[in-house]
Amino acid sequence: MNIGMVCFPTYGGSGVVATELGMALAQKGHKVHFMSYSQPFRLNRLYDNLFFHEFNVNDYPLFDYQPYESVLASKIVDVAVYEHLDVLHVHYAIPHASVAYTAQQILKSKKIKLPYITTLHGTDITLVGRDPAFEPVIRFSLNQSNAITAVSESLKKDTLKTFKIDNAIQVIPNFITLSEFLPQPQLNKSKELVIAHISNFRKVKRIEDVIHVFNRVKDQIPCRLILAGDGPEKSVMERLVRDLNIQSQVHFVGMVADPKSVLQAADIFLLPSETESFGLSALEALAMGVPVISSNSGGLPEVNKHGISGWLYNVGDIEGMASGILTLWESPKTLTAFKTGAKQTAAQYDISVVLPQYEALYKQIISK
Ligand code: GMT
């Protein structure tokens, strides 16, 4: 198949999923055409049949806001015509679903058929999408999508609750390539507990909870905290760490394109998010055999299996999460069981399980 792939290139789960999916499809022999305004940060493998079509959204004094949508729609039309795309897969509903619809209509006027799939990732529905200003456009462009997928049952439910969608929504979960996650236990020889958190440092991640949980744990046992990622909350969190005087035990390691090195050093992964449609970073931790202490919001209970791969707590339950970490660290038997449980849970989300679901969906909408 000849597949067009649209995503945000920035640091975030939807871009990771689109990029890993595109690379896996290319490895399987499909032609994949990425379209974005800069190279997606995870696009780190080259294949003869993988292409990146960059476009520029030029500044013009008249515009307060750059016309990203128009430029992207034009790029999709151009790539579809000259590369003979069979299908377009857009990640993140805003604004990609309506852009895909615009491109589809332009192509229709040229007698070219281009079905599109919209994959919902989370904040496009649960945060940004809640803004009523977007409602008519999101609803319309989702209803016009030839297929819609959501990354978890929870997100599907949220979407149906928020928008009047007549189209079916198929759940295709996020995935990892399990064979690439190789633990290196010798990295943490000191026997000090290492807690890790990886995110794009948005408010929704509740990084202050990560720091307050760590602050309680470090009063009881020797430990360190690795905070990987970057985003709007980073400087606020750096200040909090200084105010608590724990800067010698907290490492801000910045944006990591590949989380594996951080996860190899970690004993426990902490994700206390306000809401999380899936929690790809939690899945990546599980794939490395790292138990997850998380909130129980959104799709997290689908990924982090309570009592098997980790423990889940109500949003904001800092005491609970801290005591969970201490209990786990002080019970080597449970920790070992959770490490095994983590790997087994992650295996259910291996690329070998998920990729065929996308391929089947592409075939189905192309043949319609
Ligand atoms: O987490 C973010 O803020 C980034 C966002 C994105 O779209 O890049 O992540 C969302 O999509 C990921 C991939 O499907 C999911 O694993 C994340 O749970 C989801 N984030 C939220 O729902 C907050």
Side-chain angles (χ1 to χ4, degrees), residues 11-15 17 92 120-123 126-127 151 174 200 202 204-205 275-281:
Y11 200 69
S14 60
V17 171
Y92 211 83
L120 309 174
H121 281 276
T123 47
T126 57
L127 288 180
V151 298
N174 289 336
N200 50 18
R202 307 233 171 100
V204 69
K205 303 293 172 182
T275 172
E276 201 69 67
S277 71
F278 184 91
L280 182 61
S281 60

XYZ file of all heavy atoms in Angstrom, residues 11-15 17 92 120-123 126-127 151 174 200 202 204-205 275-281, ligand 1:
217
model
N 7.430 16.860 20.476
C 7.607 15.862 21.525
C 6.252 15.472 22.117
O 5.645 16.248 22.852
C 8.501 16.499 22.599
C 9.187 15.537 23.509
C 10.205 14.713 23.036
C 8.837 15.454 24.859
C 10.853 13.848 23.881
C 9.492 14.585 25.710
C 10.493 13.785 25.221
O 11.140 12.919 26.056
N 5.757 14.312 21.774
C 4.456 13.890 22.298
C 4.090 12.524 21.751
O 4.605 12.086 20.715
N 3.181 11.874 22.461
C 2.824 10.501 22.148
C 2.255 10.292 20.758
O 2.542 9.291 20.099
N 1.439 11.255 20.275
C 0.792 11.026 18.976
C 1.838 10.988 17.854
O 1.743 10.157 16.940
C -0.252 12.102 18.699
O 0.335 13.376 18.676
N 2.844 11.852 17.960
C 3.923 11.847 16.961
C 4.739 10.566 17.030
O 5.146 10.010 16.004
N 3.661 7.590 18.058
C 2.860 6.484 17.524
C 2.861 6.527 15.986
O 3.093 5.517 15.322
C 1.412 6.533 18.087
C 0.521 5.528 17.390
C 1.431 6.271 19.584
N -4.150 12.844 15.479
C -4.608 13.995 16.260
C -5.686 14.722 15.465
O -5.455 15.246 14.383
C -3.441 14.944 16.590
C -3.597 15.665 17.904
C -3.229 15.057 19.100
C -4.130 16.943 17.948
C -3.373 15.722 20.310
C -4.286 17.612 19.158
C -3.900 16.998 20.332
O -4.049 17.663 21.527
N -7.535 9.254 17.002
C -7.677 10.146 18.159
C -6.652 9.727 19.201
O -6.496 8.535 19.481
C -9.091 10.022 18.737
C -10.230 10.179 17.722
C -11.578 9.879 18.389
C -10.218 11.575 17.133
N -5.969 10.719 19.770
C -4.892 10.375 20.705
C -5.169 10.744 22.147
O -4.542 10.190 23.043
C -3.579 10.999 20.239
C -2.956 10.206 19.135
N -2.172 9.104 19.385
C -3.042 10.323 17.793
C -1.781 8.577 18.230
N -2.295 9.301 17.243
N -6.046 11.713 22.376
C -6.315 12.000 23.786
C -6.656 13.450 24.002
O -7.831 13.823 24.040
N -5.623 14.284 24.079
C -5.886 15.688 24.388
C -6.682 16.356 23.269
O -7.343 17.366 23.511
C -4.569 16.449 24.654
O -3.645 16.116 23.615
C -3.983 16.061 25.990
N -9.971 15.153 24.977
C -10.218 15.377 26.408
C -9.843 16.770 26.894
O -10.342 17.215 27.923
C -9.449 14.346 27.257
O -8.052 14.452 26.919
C -9.916 12.936 27.001
N -8.943 17.476 26.208
C -8.575 18.831 26.665
C -8.887 19.874 25.600
O -9.856 20.604 25.695
C -7.083 18.882 27.019
C -6.660 18.156 28.303
C -5.166 18.299 28.530
C -7.397 18.694 29.507
N -7.108 5.320 20.730
C -6.029 4.498 21.283
C -6.424 3.715 22.539
O -5.616 2.929 23.039
C -4.746 5.334 21.533
C -4.199 5.908 20.242
C -5.001 6.445 22.554
N -2.087 1.786 21.433
C -0.684 2.102 21.157
C 0.155 0.833 21.300
O -0.301 -0.169 21.856
C -0.207 3.189 22.114
C -0.829 4.535 21.772
O -1.228 4.748 20.636
N -0.930 5.414 22.751
N 6.004 15.371 28.372
C 6.234 16.672 27.723
C 5.935 17.839 28.675
O 5.655 18.944 28.232
C 5.431 16.790 26.425
C 3.979 16.411 26.634
O 3.496 16.389 27.763
N 3.273 16.122 25.559
N 3.602 19.005 30.531
C 2.413 19.849 30.505
C 1.719 19.699 31.853
O 1.914 18.706 32.553
C 1.457 19.386 29.400
C 2.148 19.300 28.058
C 1.439 20.069 26.986
N 2.281 20.098 25.811
C 2.123 19.304 24.762
N 1.128 18.438 24.749
N 2.929 19.388 23.734
N -1.163 18.748 32.608
C -1.952 17.517 32.709
C -1.131 16.338 33.280
O -1.688 15.397 33.839
C -2.544 17.179 31.307
C -1.462 16.771 30.331
C -3.628 16.140 31.373
N 0.191 16.436 33.216
C 1.055 15.348 33.705
C 1.249 15.384 35.218
O 1.765 14.447 35.803
C 2.429 15.402 33.013
C 2.381 15.332 31.505
C 1.894 13.984 31.021
C 1.654 13.996 29.521
N 1.150 12.743 28.997
N -5.197 13.284 33.488
C -5.909 12.431 32.540
C -4.894 11.921 31.536
O -3.898 12.581 31.258
C -7.059 13.198 31.844
O -7.578 12.361 30.793
C -6.604 14.487 31.213
N -5.146 10.729 31.023
C -4.188 10.098 30.110
C -4.996 9.128 29.258
O -5.532 8.155 29.778
C -3.144 9.365 30.959
C -1.839 9.061 30.300
C -0.985 10.296 30.001
O -0.514 10.953 30.932
O -0.802 10.579 28.810
N -5.109 9.405 27.975
C -5.965 8.536 27.155
C -5.403 7.119 27.093
O -6.132 6.141 27.026
C -6.057 9.088 25.747
O -4.824 8.905 25.090
N -4.089 7.011 27.132
C -3.449 5.703 27.056
C -2.245 5.667 28.013
O -2.207 4.875 28.938
C -2.997 5.413 25.621
C -2.409 4.039 25.448
C -3.217 2.960 25.097
C -1.049 3.819 25.641
C -2.673 1.677 24.963
C -0.507 2.543 25.501
C -1.322 1.476 25.158
N -1.271 6.528 27.747
C -0.056 6.536 28.570
C 1.042 5.730 27.900
O 1.523 4.732 28.448
N 1.438 6.184 26.717
C 2.472 5.453 25.972
C 3.770 5.325 26.773
O 4.435 4.291 26.725
C 2.729 6.160 24.627
C 3.754 5.506 23.710
C 3.339 4.092 23.313
C 3.983 6.351 22.454
N 4.108 6.364 27.532
C 5.365 6.300 28.298
C 5.286 5.191 29.350
O 6.293 4.535 29.651
C 5.676 7.651 28.943
O 4.631 8.011 29.808
O 0.524 13.462 26.453
C 0.529 14.446 25.723
O 0.344 15.575 26.126
C 0.815 14.267 24.269
C -0.303 13.611 23.577
C -0.072 13.652 22.094
O -1.068 13.637 21.413
O 1.028 13.722 21.594
O -0.410 12.292 24.095
C -1.631 11.636 23.941
O -1.417 10.634 22.965
C -0.572 9.557 23.346
C -0.406 8.619 22.154
O -1.606 8.062 21.743
C -1.151 8.851 24.567
O -0.325 7.774 24.957
C -1.256 9.863 25.721
O -1.874 9.232 26.815
C -2.096 11.047 25.278
N -2.026 12.074 26.326
C -3.083 12.388 27.080
O -4.175 11.870 26.964
C -2.826 13.435 28.113
